[in-house]
Amino acid sequence: MTDIIPTPDLPSLPIEDDARRFPVRRIFCIGRNYADHAKEMGAAAEAIFFMKPSDAVTTASRVPYPQASSDLHHEVELVLALGDGGAIMGCAVGVDLTRRDLQGAMKAKGGPWEIGKSFENSAPVGLLRFGPVPERGAISLKVNGVRRQSGDLSEMILPPRRVLSELARYFTLKPGDLVFTGTPAGVGPLQRDDQVKAEIAGLPPLEFTIS
């Protein structure tokens, strides 16, 4: 029996010092995992989960400004890459791009966040580094050379392994899953031609331009 349409391609991430790539199955995200960010958003410091589709991942150097929005925001995050049994294989720097105006409209209605979070190219991710996950170290983001976000991984309400433990209560974590672990304070708007540089101590930086 054959498929009625061509099998969709899985997006994948490049791996540092490895010719192979990491295919992306699902993307889990955690919101409000840094108290200062929750405060700036006017929300309780209580971690919550949501998801993005795998095709939200992009490694492009130019990321298009999304349709249907006039208020695109940046959120720098530590990203976990999972292998067999949901174990952490490695990690990378990522940015959760958010159509804040659409997210805000959904919040006001008590509706889901997908329209603000789960669009194409909304999850830029840098080079994946295999090895242990850092639980402390500087995390920051600059726009056009000006620092917008800064914090430390140790400020997470739920550190990486606690994030996975909570997720595992609701989902069977599988190889190819990515987990965005939350963002520190300082999120803000992006415009076309803005140059973004996201960094986490000890990991390859992520750089891209909004086009």
Side-chain angles (χ1 to χ4, degrees):
M1 186 176 295
T2 59
D3 293 332
I4 196 169
I5 61 171
T7 302
D9 293 330
L10 280 179
S12 61
L13 296 176
I15 303 166
E16 186 179 44
D17 300 325
D18 197 321
R20 298 170 297 174
R21 295 178 67 90
F22 182 88
V24 177
R25 183 175 182 273
R26 298 178 293 186
I27 306 171
F28 296 99
C29 304
I30 184 168
R32 304 174 185 170
N33 200 26
Y34 289 75
D36 286 350
H37 171 58
K39 183 178 180 180
E40 74 178 348
M41 299 302 294
E46 180 182 2
I48 57 173
F49 293 110
F50 60 95
M51 295 181 71
K52 290 175 180 274
S54 61
D55 64 3
V57 163
T58 179
T59 60
S61 61
R62 298 191 68 84
V63 175
Y65 198 100
Q67 61 188 15
S69 177
S70 59
D71 193 19
L72 178 68
H73 278 213
H74 57 76
E75 300 186 5
V76 60
E77 310 205 12
L78 173 69
V79 179
L80 312 178
L82 307 188
D84 289 340
I88 300 170
M89 291 184 69
C91 49
V93 180
V95 173
D96 171 13
L97 293 175
T98 302
R99 295 190 286 202
R100 192 71 75 198
D101 46 355
L102 301 187
Q103 183 193 29
M106 290 301 100
K107 285 182 177 180
K109 297 176 182 179
W113 291 5
E114 275 78 3
I115 198 169
K117 289 283 191 179
S118 303
F119 53 96
E120 296 89 342
N121 301 303
S122 63
V125 180
L127 193 63
L128 181 62
R129 175 171 288 174
F130 283 168
V133 58
E135 296 205 3
R136 62 182 63 251
I139 176 172
S140 65
L141 183 141
K142 295 178 182 177
V143 178
N144 301 324
V146 177
R147 191 178 303 277
R148 292 268 193 91
Q149 291 185 261
S150 61
D152 194 280
L153 299 177
S154 62
E155 297 168 354
M156 289 185 194
I157 296 169
L158 296 180
R161 297 189 189 283
R162 282 280 308 282
V163 170
L164 295 187
S165 177
E166 286 297 306
L167 274 175
R169 294 175 58 196
Y170 308 106
F171 304 94
T172 300
L173 301 177
K174 295 188 176 182
D177 288 343
L178 295 181
V179 182
F180 279 62
T181 58
T183 194
V187 301
L190 292 169
Q191 308 297 329
R192 287 179 174 84
D193 297 322
D194 278 348
Q195 296 179 355
V196 178
K197 184 174 184 179
E199 296 178 282
I200 294 175
L203 295 178
L206 168 64
E207 298 184 64
F208 59 90
T209 300
I210 299 295
S211 62

